[in-house]
Amino acid sequence: MKRTKMAFSKRLLLLESLIVVYTTVEGFSLARLAVTANFAGSLPWIATMVTAAWGAYGASAAFYYNKAKAENTEGGVVYEALRREQDCGE
């Protein structure tokens, strides 16, 4: 069975998803450590770090789904399919 190659944009979104989840987990771990150690200061930098990661992920996901919508409509062009057609025609 032939394995199909995953599109670059899909791999990029998957990698970013993993990074955002990792950042969120580590942010919560830092917050728990600070509370456990009776840290008397505030923790806005942890909230900012996690929020910024999710904000960037939201923008990336929106652009990815907009790209997918354009490709999967009638008349949409997928670059790999176009290249395959050109290579077969020559």
Side-chain angles (χ1 to χ4, degrees):
M1 178 176 223
K2 185 178 178 183
R3 293 180 67 181
T4 59
K5 188 174 179 181
M6 187 184 294
F8 176 73
S9 58
K10 192 175 286 188
R11 283 189 295 174
L12 196 60
L13 190 65
L14 180 63
L15 179 62
E16 188 174 9
S17 300
L18 295 173
I19 291 170
V20 168
V21 168
Y22 177 76
T23 303
T24 302
V25 168
E26 290 300 316
F28 283 127
S29 297
L30 279 172
R32 177 176 286 154
L33 180 66
V35 170
T36 303
N38 294 324
F39 179 67
S42 61
L43 304 172
W45 56 276
I46 294 175
T48 302
M49 177 180 64
V50 172
T51 304
W54 279 101
Y57 177 73
S60 297
F63 280 106
Y64 172 77
Y65 288 121
N66 190 27
K67 175 185 170 289
K69 182 178 75 172
E71 288 177 349
N72 294 324
T73 57
E74 187 174 336
V77 175
V78 177
Y79 178 75
E80 289 84 7
L82 183 62
R83 288 293 302 165
R84 204 174 309 121
E85 288 176 11
Q86 287 178 348
D87 291 341
C88 290
E90 293 178 358

